[in-house]
Amino acid sequence: MSLSQDDVKKIAHLARLSISDEDIPAYEKDLSNILGLVEQMSAVDTDGVVPLAHPLDMAQRLRDDAVSEDNRREQYQDVAPATEKGLYLVPKVIE
Amino acid sequence: MHNKTLTELSAGLQDKRFSSTELTQAYLERIKQFDPELNSYITVAEEQAMAMAADADARIAAGTATPMTGIPLAQKDIFCTEGVKTSCGSKMLDNFISPYNATVIERFNNAGAVMLGKTNMDEFAMGSSNETSFYGPVRNPWNTDTVPGGSSGGSAAVVAARLAPASTGTDTGGSIRQPAALCGITGLKPTYGRVSRYGMIAFASSLDQAGPMTRTAEDAALMMNVMAGFDERDSTSVQRDVPDYMANLNESLEGLKIGLPKEYFGEGLDPEVAKAVEAAIKQYEQLGATVKEISLPNTHLAVPTYYVVAPAECSSNLSRFDGVRFGYRCDDPVDLEDLYKRSRGEGFGAEVKRRIMIGAYALSAGYYDAYYLKAQQLRRLISDDFTRAFKDVDVIMGPTSPNVAFGLGEKADDPITMYLSDIYTIAVNLAGLPGMSVPAGFVNNMPVGLQIIGNYFDEARLLNVAHRYQQATDWHTKVPAAFE
C-alpha cells in the first residue's frame, strides 16, 4: 500500500493537521511503510469472525440520568487559551 | 535509605525510624544530584511533596496511616494532577495545569502517599524509547548512551536509578513492561479495566491500562492494593472484587504449569536474551513448576493489528486537542480551520502526527471495513490463541523484549523497526490480559526482562509467581554503579 503526496495532504486535512510542504515526502514514505506493515492483515481469511471491540466483550455500563458532578466552569475555563463571559473564544465563524 | 524497598520503607515509617519529611527530602536531593544526567522527570513538585510529607507525618503520628502513607512516588506525566503541570510529554500540554486529579492520583493521595514529581515519557505515550518526548529523551541508568524504553521510560529510569522508590506507568502496547525490562525493574500491566483510566490522558481507549513500576513484585502488590478497583467515572472500569494482592505472594509454585510459546523464541530474538530467559525458566522448574511448549499461532499478526487499532483510537481521542478549550493554541489564527490545523500541527510531534494520520486514514469513508473492522476480527483471533493456551497452562512466559536497551537515535528514524521492538508485548494488550516483566539477568551489562502473562484478573498469581522467583534470585536487587 503506497500513498501519494496528494493522499498525505488529504489525510492531513481530514485530521486537521498543518503539515509543511517540505515534510510531506517524509510522511509519504513513513505512512506508506506503516500501511505496508498493516497490509499483512489482508492475507488472513476472517470470514465469520466476530470483531472484538472490547477485550472482555463487555457492554457499556449505564447509569441513572441524574446530576453527579458539580458545575466547575470557572476552573475548567482557567486553562483555556481565550474565554469571555463563560464562553470559549475562536476566530469569527459567521460574518 | 534509597536502597530500601517500599515494604521496608513502609515499616520504617510506621516504626518512626525516619519520617516521611526526611525520606522525601532525601529523594529530592538525589533527584537534584542525578536527574540532570538522566532527564527522567519533567516536573519535580518539591513544594507540594514537602507539604504532603508533613501531612503524612501527622497522619502517622495520629495512628491513621495506611501502608503507603508517607511513601514518596513518581507519577507518569500522563496522569492529571490538580495544580501540577500535566504535559503527557507534549508541547500541546506544556502549559496545562489540570483542574482535577486522575483517579489513580486520588487513590494514592487518599492513602497518604507523597508525589515527588511527574516522569518523562514518549509524547502521548506513543513510542518505545522515550525519544518522542517534547522534553528530550530519558537516558538509561545502566548506560546513558542507550534508551530506557518507552513509553514509561522516565518511570522506569527513576526506579532503576533510585530517584523514587516506585512509580506508576501506563501500558498500551508494552509501555510498562518494555521499559521495566530495559531498565532492570519490575512492572505490571493489569487486566484491562482493573485500574481506572479516569484522568489518565487517553491514547487508545480499548488498550490503555495503568500499573505499578517497582523494584520488587512485593512492592508492586502493595501499589496494586491502592490502584486497583472499580471507578464509576471510568465507563470501562470493571465491577469486580479486588483481592489483597499481598496475601498470596508466598504460595508455593509446586505444580505451576508454565507455557512457552514457540513463536516467542524464534527469529528476531537476540540469542543471549534467549539464554537469560531460558535460565529463568530453569529456575522456575527448580521451584517446582512444569514447562510445556505451546503455540500462539497468530502472534505475527499482533503488530499489524495494533497499528490499526491504536492509531484509529488515537486519532479519535486526540481530536480533543483543538486549541480551543485547553493546551497549545497557535498565534494569530486567521479562521477556525487555521486555528485547528496550526494548533495541532505545531503542538504535536512527528510520531503523534503519523499515528493520527494512519488512524484518520483507516477510519475514513470506504476504508473502515478493510482496516478497522479487519483489525478487530484479527484481534479476536489473537485473543482466542490465549484463551486456548490458558486451558492447559497457568501462566505464559517468554522474553519481554527481543533485545536489551538499544542506542539513543539507533531506531529513531525508522518507525517500523521501533514498532517491532514491542513484538512480545502488544498481543497481551490486544487480548486485555495482565502481564509482568521481572529482571532476569544481564547481557553485556544491560538488564533482560522475563515476561509473565496471566489469565484475566490473575494479577495475584502473577505477583506470586514473580515474588517466588525474586526470593530465589537477586537480579532485581542490582543497582547501576553510577547510582548506588
Short mmCIF file of all heavy atoms in Angstrom, two decimals, chain A residues 2 4 9-10 14 20 33 38-39 41 48 52 55-56 59 61 63 66-67 70 72 74 82 90 93:
data_model
loop_
_atom_site.label_atom_id
_atom_site.label_comp_id
_atom_site.label_asym_id
_atom_site.label_seq_id
_atom_site.Cartn_x
_atom_site.Cartn_y
_atom_site.Cartn_z
N SER A 2 0.72 2.03 -1.04
CA SER A 2 1.57 3.21 -1.15
C SER A 2 0.68 4.44 -1.30
O SER A 2 -0.28 4.44 -2.06
CB SER A 2 2.48 3.03 -2.37
OG SER A 2 3.36 4.10 -2.44
N SER A 4 0.20 8.60 -2.15
CA SER A 4 0.79 9.68 -2.92
C SER A 4 0.89 10.92 -2.03
O SER A 4 0.32 10.96 -0.94
CB SER A 4 -0.09 9.99 -4.13
OG SER A 4 -1.32 10.53 -3.67
N LYS A 9 -1.73 14.89 1.86
CA LYS A 9 -2.35 16.20 2.09
C LYS A 9 -3.82 16.04 2.46
O LYS A 9 -4.34 16.75 3.33
CB LYS A 9 -2.21 17.08 0.84
CG LYS A 9 -0.79 17.59 0.65
CD LYS A 9 -0.69 18.43 -0.62
CE LYS A 9 0.77 18.73 -0.92
NZ LYS A 9 0.97 19.21 -2.30
N LYS A 10 -4.49 15.09 1.79
CA LYS A 10 -5.91 14.87 2.06
C LYS A 10 -6.12 14.34 3.49
O LYS A 10 -7.00 14.81 4.21
CB LYS A 10 -6.47 13.88 1.03
CG LYS A 10 -7.97 13.74 1.11
CD LYS A 10 -8.51 12.76 0.07
CE LYS A 10 -9.86 12.23 0.56
NZ LYS A 10 -10.10 10.84 0.26
N LEU A 14 -8.09 15.91 6.68
CA LEU A 14 -9.13 15.19 7.45
C LEU A 14 -8.82 15.24 8.95
O LEU A 14 -9.72 15.34 9.78
CB LEU A 14 -9.20 13.72 7.01
CG LEU A 14 -9.85 13.41 5.67
CD1 LEU A 14 -9.70 11.92 5.36
CD2 LEU A 14 -11.32 13.80 5.70
N SER A 20 3.93 21.03 6.80
CA SER A 20 4.63 21.90 5.84
C SER A 20 5.00 21.09 4.59
O SER A 20 5.21 19.88 4.66
CB SER A 20 5.88 22.50 6.48
OG SER A 20 6.83 21.49 6.69
N ASN A 33 5.04 3.03 4.54
CA ASN A 33 5.68 1.88 5.19
C ASN A 33 4.79 1.29 6.28
O ASN A 33 4.70 0.06 6.42
CB ASN A 33 7.02 2.30 5.82
CG ASN A 33 8.09 2.51 4.76
OD1 ASN A 33 7.94 2.06 3.62
ND2 ASN A 33 9.15 3.20 5.13
N VAL A 38 0.82 -3.02 7.89
CA VAL A 38 -0.56 -3.34 8.21
C VAL A 38 -1.18 -4.28 7.16
O VAL A 38 -2.06 -5.09 7.45
CB VAL A 38 -1.34 -2.00 8.32
CG1 VAL A 38 -2.82 -2.20 8.18
CG2 VAL A 38 -0.99 -1.29 9.62
N GLU A 39 -0.68 -4.17 5.94
CA GLU A 39 -1.17 -4.95 4.81
C GLU A 39 -1.17 -6.46 5.07
O GLU A 39 -1.97 -7.19 4.51
CB GLU A 39 -0.30 -4.63 3.58
CG GLU A 39 -0.93 -4.87 2.24
CD GLU A 39 -2.22 -4.08 2.04
OE1 GLU A 39 -2.28 -2.93 2.53
OE2 GLU A 39 -3.14 -4.61 1.42
N MET A 41 -2.40 -7.98 7.26
CA MET A 41 -3.72 -8.40 7.76
C MET A 41 -4.57 -9.02 6.66
O MET A 41 -5.35 -9.93 6.91
CB MET A 41 -4.49 -7.20 8.32
CG MET A 41 -3.88 -6.52 9.51
SD MET A 41 -5.09 -5.45 10.35
CE MET A 41 -5.83 -4.56 9.01
N GLY A 48 -16.64 -14.61 8.89
CA GLY A 48 -17.40 -15.15 10.01
C GLY A 48 -16.80 -14.88 11.38
O GLY A 48 -17.37 -15.27 12.39
N LEU A 52 -13.73 -8.01 17.63
CA LEU A 52 -13.57 -7.81 19.08
C LEU A 52 -13.32 -6.33 19.33
O LEU A 52 -12.27 -5.80 18.99
CB LEU A 52 -12.39 -8.66 19.59
CG LEU A 52 -12.17 -8.75 21.11
CD1 LEU A 52 -11.41 -10.04 21.43
CD2 LEU A 52 -11.37 -7.58 21.64
N PRO A 55 -11.88 -5.90 24.96
CA PRO A 55 -11.14 -7.12 25.27
C PRO A 55 -11.88 -8.08 26.18
O PRO A 55 -11.60 -9.28 26.18
CB PRO A 55 -9.85 -6.62 25.93
CG PRO A 55 -9.97 -5.16 26.08
CD PRO A 55 -11.13 -4.68 25.27
N LEU A 56 -12.83 -7.60 26.97
CA LEU A 56 -13.59 -8.50 27.84
C LEU A 56 -15.01 -8.71 27.32
O LEU A 56 -15.86 -9.26 28.01
CB LEU A 56 -13.62 -7.96 29.27
CG LEU A 56 -12.25 -7.69 29.90
CD1 LEU A 56 -12.38 -6.94 31.22
CD2 LEU A 56 -11.49 -8.99 30.12
N ALA A 59 -20.45 -4.99 27.75
CA ALA A 59 -21.30 -3.93 27.22
C ALA A 59 -21.08 -2.66 28.03
O ALA A 59 -20.61 -2.71 29.16
CB ALA A 59 -22.76 -4.35 27.31
N ARG A 61 -21.62 0.18 30.45
CA ARG A 61 -22.41 0.29 31.68
C ARG A 61 -23.32 1.51 31.59
O ARG A 61 -22.92 2.54 31.07
CB ARG A 61 -21.45 0.44 32.85
CG ARG A 61 -22.03 0.24 34.21
CD ARG A 61 -20.94 0.31 35.27
NE ARG A 61 -20.39 1.65 35.37
CZ ARG A 61 -19.14 1.97 35.11
NH1 ARG A 61 -18.29 1.05 34.71
NH2 ARG A 61 -18.72 3.20 35.22
N ARG A 63 -25.96 4.33 33.66
CA ARG A 63 -26.25 4.86 35.00
C ARG A 63 -27.54 5.66 34.93
O ARG A 63 -28.03 5.97 33.84
CB ARG A 63 -25.10 5.74 35.51
CG ARG A 63 -24.86 6.98 34.68
CD ARG A 63 -23.92 7.94 35.40
NE ARG A 63 -23.61 9.11 34.60
CZ ARG A 63 -24.38 10.18 34.50
NH1 ARG A 63 -25.54 10.23 35.13
NH2 ARG A 63 -24.01 11.20 33.75
N ALA A 66 -28.93 11.29 36.23
CA ALA A 66 -29.00 12.23 37.36
C ALA A 66 -27.70 13.01 37.42
O ALA A 66 -26.65 12.51 37.01
CB ALA A 66 -29.20 11.46 38.65
N VAL A 67 -27.78 14.23 37.93
CA VAL A 67 -26.58 15.07 38.04
C VAL A 67 -25.61 14.43 39.03
O VAL A 67 -25.98 14.07 40.14
CB VAL A 67 -26.96 16.49 38.53
CG1 VAL A 67 -25.70 17.33 38.75
CG2 VAL A 67 -27.89 17.16 37.52
N ASP A 70 -20.39 18.56 40.02
CA ASP A 70 -20.64 19.97 40.29
C ASP A 70 -20.31 20.80 39.04
O ASP A 70 -19.53 20.37 38.20
CB ASP A 70 -19.74 20.49 41.42
CG ASP A 70 -19.96 19.70 42.69
OD1 ASP A 70 -21.08 19.21 42.89
OD2 ASP A 70 -18.99 19.56 43.47
N ARG A 72 -18.13 23.28 37.49
CA ARG A 72 -16.80 23.83 37.76
C ARG A 72 -16.30 24.61 36.55
O ARG A 72 -15.13 24.53 36.17
CB ARG A 72 -15.83 22.69 38.11
CG ARG A 72 -16.24 21.91 39.36
CD ARG A 72 -15.23 20.84 39.71
NE ARG A 72 -13.93 21.42 40.01
CZ ARG A 72 -12.77 20.75 39.91
NH1 ARG A 72 -12.77 19.50 39.54
NH2 ARG A 72 -11.63 21.35 40.19
N GLU A 74 -15.63 27.68 35.94
CA GLU A 74 -14.52 28.63 36.07
C GLU A 74 -13.16 27.94 36.09
O GLU A 74 -12.23 28.37 35.41
CB GLU A 74 -14.70 29.48 37.33
CG GLU A 74 -15.60 30.67 37.06
CD GLU A 74 -15.90 31.47 38.30
OE1 GLU A 74 -15.00 31.55 39.17
OE2 GLU A 74 -17.02 32.01 38.39
N ALA A 82 -8.50 31.23 25.46
CA ALA A 82 -9.23 32.51 25.43
C ALA A 82 -10.69 32.27 25.76
O ALA A 82 -11.35 31.42 25.13
CB ALA A 82 -9.11 33.15 24.04
N VAL A 90 -13.15 31.77 19.69
CA VAL A 90 -12.47 31.28 18.49
C VAL A 90 -12.60 32.37 17.42
O VAL A 90 -13.42 33.28 17.57
CB VAL A 90 -13.09 29.95 17.97
CG1 VAL A 90 -12.87 28.84 18.97
CG2 VAL A 90 -14.57 30.10 17.64
N VAL A 93 -16.72 32.86 12.95
CA VAL A 93 -17.16 31.79 12.05
C VAL A 93 -18.25 32.32 11.10
O VAL A 93 -18.30 31.96 9.93
CB VAL A 93 -17.69 30.58 12.85
CG1 VAL A 93 -18.20 29.50 11.93
CG2 VAL A 93 -16.59 30.04 13.77
#
